[in-house]
Amino acid sequence: MNINRPRGTTDIYGENIEYRNYISNTARKIFEIFNYKEIITPAFEHTTVFSRSIGEGSDIVSKEMYTFQDRKGRLLTLRPEGTASIARAVIENKMYVENLPLKLFYEGNMFRYERPQKGRMREFWQIGVEAIGTDNPIIDVEIMWILNSLFEKLGFRKLVFKVNSIGCNKCREKFLIEFKRYLEPRIEKLCDDCRNRFDKNAMRIFDCKKGECINILKDSPEIYSFLCDDCKDKFKEILECLEELKIDYVIDKTLVRGFDYYTGTVFEIISEDLKSEQNALGGGGRYDNLLKELGGPDLPATGFAIGVDRIIMLMKQLKLSYKKDRELPRIYIIAMDRKCQFHSLKVLKYLRDSGIVCDINFNNRGIKKEIKLAEKNGYSFVIIIGENEIKTGNLVLKDIRKFKQYSINWENEKEKIMEFIGESV
Ligand code: AMP
């Protein structure tokens, strides 16, 4: 019997939970400041939601989806990314009837059948943002601004913000003719995947990390030179705004994104401290045709997604800490036996009702060991409750970091606990 977790998945606990919550809370604060509202969609959708939007020619749809039939024979897929589900939800719930643009964010686990390695999992977590209902370049800038603020707040300093425009359908059509003309005589030298992409989605050849394909692309035409005036102007405006906001970027004319639904401005944030195959921490761009392609109204949109697991990996590698905004004083109660534990209940209740983080020893390991454990677990105070304390009604509050202690009569002066711990903050 196999009771291990499936390959490419992970159990998240301990320090990793602290990191995750820190990233999530930091992101949520920024989303609130920029006025983005949360949306939660199902973890699985009808398969067509993804195949129609991400594209049959993409790696995800062609080989990475977790697809299954339910008991009624419906074809369902565990979400491999967030955008398609949100577009589906916006259409289905007619959310576009409200004020546009819709500014939404999400957080959730995604599933892709990839070859697991460091920073590449089969179940991983993303946080993302979508702005639906305007083609104003300022919203592209806002999306990038959020992404940049988030990484700055998390303490990253040396990330590279790559931007490019892959143009509208018209620019891409012209480009693809020239691009395929260039590739045709070289097609035999492309890897198997790229030969496949040549017919289904040639732009994706730019995504290939294999040496021979990269070499072939060195002299290839670039989409950038095929941009129509409108796409060029929009891209220029975006770059000017980024400069105004002092957001550093580099133009990467080979940057395309893995899904078919992207149009116009695309971007990616990468770390040079990570191996090149897994160095992207997040990315996104415009997807002006997606809602229409899913049967909804013709609404332009833009968004990004970041990979939480990869960010944690890099934070640890760079020794960036997860900081709590304000470390609240924590009290650990050491009760000497079961009877003392009973007497501790009123103290625990008083402290917990007052919003103080506190806990009690459930096993008795002796005072010395308990104090050590309290210190290790981040408690700054202990209260010891033994026979004597029950008899006299006096408690001893010990500040274990400053080696101070205070005697407090429980009946007459329990509020003094708050005063004493307040002084230590
Ligand atoms: P994508 O949805 O492919 O644009 O990915 C957005 C971000 O999610 C990437 O930049 C990664 O940080 C993260 N990501 C994508 N795929 C995986 C994976 N298989 N395992 C871990 N993180 C991933």
Side-chain angles (χ1 to χ4, degrees):
M1 188 170 63
N2 185 357
I3 50 162
N4 297 334
R5 60 173 191 260
R7 204 162 118 75
T9 65
T10 188
D11 301 309
I12 310 165
Y13 58 93
E15 191 186 47
N16 285 338
I17 284 288
E18 300 285 351
Y19 271 105
R20 282 172 57 90
N21 291 344
Y22 176 61
I23 294 167
S24 167
N25 293 338
T26 308
R28 281 167 184 271
K29 267 184 220 149
I30 294 174
F31 298 153
E32 193 172 359
I33 290 169
F34 282 81
N35 194 27
Y36 282 69
K37 308 276 188 247
E38 186 167 16
I39 177 166
I40 301 176
T41 60
F44 57 89
E45 297 273 352
H46 289 290
T47 302
T48 41
V49 170
F50 304 116
S51 53
R52 232 199 269 171
S53 53
I54 302 170
E56 299 283 352
S58 66
D59 286 354
I60 291 187
V61 173
S62 61
K63 52 188 185 194
E64 293 173 1
M65 293 205 303
Y66 278 91
T67 297
F68 57 97
Q69 277 190 345
D70 71 4
R71 286 169 193 276
K72 290 265 169 69
R74 299 177 194 100
L75 212 53
L76 302 169
T77 295
L78 294 183
R79 61 181 171 200
E81 57 101 45
T83 304
S85 308
I86 287 171
R88 196 268 310 136
V90 166
I91 299 167
E92 189 166 344
N93 299 297
K94 296 201 170 46
M95 289 165 69
Y96 49 84
V97 176
E98 294 167 32
N99 277 346
L100 293 177
L102 282 168
K103 304 215 291 185
L104 303 168
F105 78 88
Y106 63 91
E107 195 170 346
N109 45 350
M110 308 294 157
F111 308 86
R112 294 182 196 171
Y113 191 82
E114 296 200 77
R115 194 165 60 80
Q117 50 201 295
K118 204 164 176 250
R120 191 171 293 280
M121 306 289 293
R122 288 184 174 164
E123 186 194 26
F124 58 96
W125 291 75
Q126 285 188 337
I127 296 177
V129 151
E130 315 290 354
I132 298 171
T134 174
D135 65 354
N136 185 336
I138 295 289
I139 201 101
D140 298 73
V141 174
E142 183 172 279
I143 292 280
M144 294 189 232
W145 184 3
I146 295 175
L147 190 62
N148 196 65
S149 307
L150 177 53
F151 281 105
E152 260 182 14
K153 274 265 148 48
L154 293 176
F156 290 100
R157 293 292 171 264
K158 271 187 358 201
L159 299 178
V160 183
F161 203 147
K162 290 181 178 180
V163 293
N164 192 22
S165 172
I166 57 169
C168 59
N169 287 352
K170 273 186 262 156
C171 326
R172 261 202 314 273
E173 220 170 272
K174 281 192 209 142
F175 164 73
L176 282 172
I177 295 171
E178 284 306 311
F179 186 46
K180 286 190 164 182
R181 194 173 288 157
Y182 169 83
L183 285 179
E184 234 148 26
R186 299 164 175 88
I187 198 158
E188 290 308 317
K189 290 197 186 135
L190 292 173
C191 71
D192 289 350
D193 278 343
C194 285
R195 250 179 281 150
N196 230 334
R197 287 171 182 152
F198 182 85
D199 292 319
K200 289 188 179 150
N201 184 356
M203 290 286 275
R204 287 289 322 276
I205 296 176
F206 283 101
D207 253 357
C208 189
K209 302 279 193 275
K210 300 208 176 81
E212 191 55 28
C213 298
I214 294 175
N215 259 341
I216 291 173
L217 291 180
K218 271 191 184 138
D219 299 318
S220 111
E222 284 159 345
I223 175 75
Y224 198 70
S225 338
F226 290 78
L227 295 184
C228 64
D229 286 347
D230 189 39
C231 286
K232 241 188 237 160
D233 287 348
K234 280 187 175 146
F235 191 50
K236 199 165 148 257
E237 192 179 337
I238 289 169
L239 299 183
E240 279 168 9
C241 294
L242 290 177
E243 279 154 33
E244 174 68 19
L245 292 166
K246 304 211 163 17
I247 297 175
D248 291 333
Y249 66 86
V250 289
I251 298 175
D252 177 350
K253 294 181 180 173
T254 66
L255 176 70
V256 294
R257 304 265 308 136
F259 314 146
D260 280 6
Y261 56 62
Y262 282 112
T263 52
T265 307
V266 291
F267 50 89
E268 206 161 73
I269 207 153
I270 65 152
S271 157
E272 285 171 345
D273 291 305
L274 291 174
K275 259 176 72 182
S276 73
E277 294 87 38
Q278 279 85 244
N279 66 359
L281 299 178
R286 222 163 230 292
Y287 51 95
D288 287 348
N289 305 324
L290 177 61
L291 275 95
K292 204 167 87 191
E293 257 153 45
L294 286 176
D298 190 2
L299 290 176
T302 179
F304 73 73
I306 56 167
V308 177
D309 312 75
R310 235 176 249 183
I311 295 171
I312 296 177
M313 200 172 88
L314 187 62
M315 284 180 80
K316 285 182 170 174
Q317 189 177 314
L318 300 178
K319 304 207 168 11
L320 299 179
S321 71
Y322 52 85
K323 299 161 245 144
K324 302 239 170 68
D325 275 356
R326 193 174 77 102
E327 202 47 82
L328 291 170
R330 297 152 64 100
I331 303 183
Y332 189 63
I333 295 179
I334 304 171
M336 300 312 293
D337 56 26
R338 292 293 281 272
K339 191 170 138 220
C340 300
Q341 240 172 31
F342 178 79
H343 281 271
S344 306
L345 287 178
K346 59 176 184 293
V347 183
L348 272 174
K349 180 165 169 25
Y350 173 71
L351 293 175
R352 286 178 172 159
D353 287 350
S354 313
I356 301 297
V357 180
C358 57
D359 205 352
I360 184 166
N361 62 318
F362 289 97
N363 301 313
N364 196 351
R365 282 162 284 230
I367 291 188
K368 257 193 182 165
K369 270 199 181 152
E370 291 295 349
I371 291 182
K372 264 200 179 147
L373 208 67
E375 216 173 351
K376 190 171 157 230
N377 288 331
Y379 290 91
S380 27
F381 292 90
V382 297
I383 291 176
I384 299 167
I385 300 185
E387 277 293 326
N388 200 31
E389 282 73 23
I390 297 174
K391 229 189 280 162
T392 60
N394 289 335
L395 297 182
V396 177
L397 174 74
K398 275 182 188 290
D399 184 332
I400 49 180
R401 292 191 182 149
K402 294 187 184 154
F403 304 106
K404 274 191 189 169
Q405 64 180 47
Y406 313 91
S407 177
I408 297 154
N409 182 269
W410 178 253
E411 285 310 322
N412 304 322
E413 40 182 29
K414 52 173 153 327
E415 16 345 288
K416 278 197 173 167
I417 298 180
M418 298 304 159
E419 261 172 53
F420 292 137
I421 63 173
E423 278 171 16
S424 84
V425 180

